[in-house]
Amino acid sequence: MNQQPRQLHLDVLLRDEMTFASFYPAENEQLVSDLQSCLDSALIKGLMITGASGLGKTHLLQAVTSAALESG
């Protein structure tokens, strides 16, 4: 049995306030810039962000998703 991979959908709602503009980057300006560049590049296939709880990983995930949806 050869099963094709399939995308699993997460039941996650985007919060309108989670944007790049509302993210305080502290010492992560380069990360924010890299994420914004990923939106413009067909070369990026994936990116992993790690860090402790409360540092803004979910905020950035939602910011990237919102920006991608806005740009089509």
Side-chain angles (χ1 to χ4, degrees):
M1 292 185 8
N2 187 9
Q3 292 184 344
Q4 294 295 321
R6 57 190 183 125
Q7 180 71 42
L8 299 177
H9 300 279
L10 300 177
D11 188 22
V12 176
L13 298 176
L14 294 178
R15 293 172 51 192
D16 291 337
E17 68 273 10
M18 299 271 200
T19 64
F20 285 119
S22 66
F23 183 74
Y24 178 71
E27 298 173 8
N28 294 311
E29 293 91 357
Q30 186 63 51
L31 172 60
V32 173
S33 176
D34 290 346
L35 289 171
Q36 290 170 322
S37 294
C38 286
L39 293 167
D40 298 326
S41 174
L43 301 176
I44 303 297
K45 299 296 181 193
L47 182 65
M48 182 188 305
I49 301 171
T50 63
S53 178
L55 295 179
K57 296 181 301 295
T58 299
H59 189 129
L60 289 173
L61 172 64
Q62 292 196 26
V64 167
T65 302
S66 293
L69 289 171
E70 285 178 13
S71 68

